Amino acid sequence: MSVQRRKLYHCTTNANSQTKMRPPLSLYICVVAVFRATHGLDNGLALTPPMGFLSWERFGCNVDCQRDPDNCISERLYRSIADVMVSDGYRDLGYVYVNIDDCWSAKSRDQQGNLQPDPDRFPSGMLNLSSYMHSRGLKLGIYGDVGTETCGGYPGSQNFLQQDAQTFADWGIDLLKFDGCHSSRENLAKYYPEMSRQLNRTGRSILYSCSWASYDILNTQRMYESNKKYCNTWRNFFDIQDSWRSVLEVIFYYGIDLGNFSGVAGPGGFNDPDQLVIGDFSLSYDQEKVQFGMWAMFAAPLYISADLRTMRPEAKAILQNRNVIAINQDPRGQQASFQIKIENIQVWTKALSFPGSYAIAFLNPESGGTPTSVTLTLSQIKLTNQNGYNISDVFDDTPIGTYKIADKFSISVNPEGIVLLKIVPL
Ligand code: GLA
């Protein structure tokens, strides 16, 4: 079956219809954000960005297990991915969530109105699958939708919020990705918070991953505060595709920071720029480093959507880079913000928990045959410690040296590449 891929902006004109549109750039810049204090969802989860696997981008809504038994959405797929997460060291680096996406359920509810997994593709049932994960030190995530149907046309949770929350808890589910297709703006605002309450009522810790912000055209700070109040993570951009262009669009959007969403992120609640497409078909080695480095800077959930069973070694090495993961998992949970552009190099900074220290990304979004070399001083990127800083390269795990804020240093960045530095005050 084919599922139409959702675009970012879902502008609902009335309660029953849903139109999708992408706003002009002028809209991005005409919305003025007003800062307000935020209280996050206090369920003790996502104190640092969640990490794991999410099937959507790579495995989509492939339900044809006759033709493609190894790759269809089935318990077999999630078990085999889980096995590799354990055997190949992903789990021990923090990738613990194995997340099922759309198209897992039967096309209708059972006679009591309960959601039920497709019996042919999940013959052992969800409780059995979650036990499989738990016995291996992993967690099981599942997908639902706040509206009447999922984006792929499976049963939605509208009118069943309490029942479905209880079903997920009874199945031992640890994360719910809750989509927003087939709903209205009013219902999104009503039912996303309601599902948060219902999950909480079950007494089971279930990380609540919302898509709410990606369905509202007016992504104001207020909107993000609501997301943070009720959700642990929230999608806020287009579905990622396996392409450099798609990765760059996300980065561009995070640079614009419409509604100052970077300021809302922190322990317990993070913006979600969607899955990692590292190890798939399209990105070059440098482009893969860009996605991983920038997602680390964004304090983004790190959900790999690739076939871990056949992962290229250099893609695996990127995904398993401990230093970059440490930047992503820094307990301060700050999302990077764009600082300046020097020639074609974008400079982004993320404050880390060690006082006065930062991760700095130098991103070269452009193609071309030659690396770009830029020379700068630390004072240019607003660093102020008079004693200077120790600088090291994060990807390569190598020291670069000690610099005072007025000292010049040079960085060479590959085309469509990144250099990630860690800067610690002396
Ligand atoms: C939406 C979501 C995707 C995926 C699909 C499933 O498009 O944004 O991440 O979950 O639905 O149908």
Side-chain angles (χ1 to χ4, degrees), residues 25 27-29 237 249-262 338 348:
L25 191 62
L27 184 73
Y28 290 135
I29 44 187
F237 199 59
E249 279 179 359
V250 175
I251 295 171
F252 178 71
Y253 187 75
Y254 272 56
I256 292 172
D257 200 8
L258 177 70
N260 189 21
F261 61 81
S262 64
F338 172 70
W348 295 69

Side-chain angles (χ1 to χ4, degrees), residues 18 22 105 286 348:
Q18 180 172 291
R22 188 174 183 173
S105 81
D286 277 294
W348 295 69

Side-chain angles (χ1 to χ4, degrees), residues 182-347:
H182 304 287
S183 189
S184 64
R185 180 179 288 158
E186 294 71 30
N187 282 347
L188 294 172
K190 204 154 103 195
Y191 296 139
Y192 267 109
E194 182 55 22
M195 191 54 157
S196 184
R197 286 187 281 269
Q198 292 300 341
L199 290 173
N200 197 37
R201 271 189 79 215
T202 68
R204 184 172 176 81
S205 288
I206 300 181
L207 195 152
Y208 189 33
S209 164
C210 300
S211 300
W212 185 6
S214 69
Y215 283 86
D216 198 317
I217 195 164
L218 292 175
N219 284 323
T220 58
Q221 175 127 13
R222 191 180 186 143
M223 170 69 182
Y224 281 110
E225 282 166 7
S226 299
N227 273 258
K228 174 141 186 174
K229 186 164 175 198
Y230 296 107
C231 308
N232 292 117
T233 61
W234 47 90
R235 283 276 309 280
N236 62 347
F237 199 59
F238 297 104
D239 286 6
I240 198 148
Q241 312 292 324
D242 182 13
S243 77
W244 172 238
R245 185 184 161 171
S246 173
V247 169
L248 263 193
E249 279 179 359
V250 175
I251 295 171
F252 178 71
Y253 187 75
Y254 272 56
I256 292 172
D257 200 8
L258 177 70
N260 189 21
F261 61 81
S262 64
V264 181
F270 296 99
N271 291 290
D272 178 0
D274 211 1
Q275 301 138 95
L276 297 167
V277 293
I278 297 160
D280 287 325
F281 304 103
S282 292
L283 300 188
S284 72
Y285 177 67
D286 277 294
Q287 292 167 347
E288 289 182 330
K289 284 175 73 180
V290 168
Q291 194 192 15
F292 202 55
M294 291 309 294
W295 265 233
M297 292 293 283
F298 294 153
L302 298 179
Y303 296 138
I304 305 168
S305 195
D307 193 343
L308 299 182
R309 301 164 300 186
T310 55
M311 184 69 85
R312 281 177 279 111
E314 80 270 13
K316 180 175 162 195
I318 292 172
L319 292 164
Q320 297 204 347
N321 188 310
R322 288 171 188 275
N323 285 343
V324 185
I325 292 173
I327 300 291
N328 173 264
Q329 293 291 301
D330 183 80
R332 184 167 177 164
Q334 197 187 77
Q335 181 176 321
S337 50
F338 172 70
Q339 289 295 326
I340 47 168
K341 203 165 167 217
I342 308 173
E343 296 177 38
N344 49 323
I345 304 299
Q346 294 179 12
V347 184

Side-chain angles (χ1 to χ4, degrees), residues 3 6 56 101-102 143 151-152 177 179 235 239 274-275:
V3 175
R6 174 170 65 71
W56 181 253
D101 208 287
D102 205 351
Y143 170 98
C151 301
K177 171 176 172 176
D179 216 333
R235 283 276 309 280
D239 286 6
D274 211 1
Q275 301 138 95

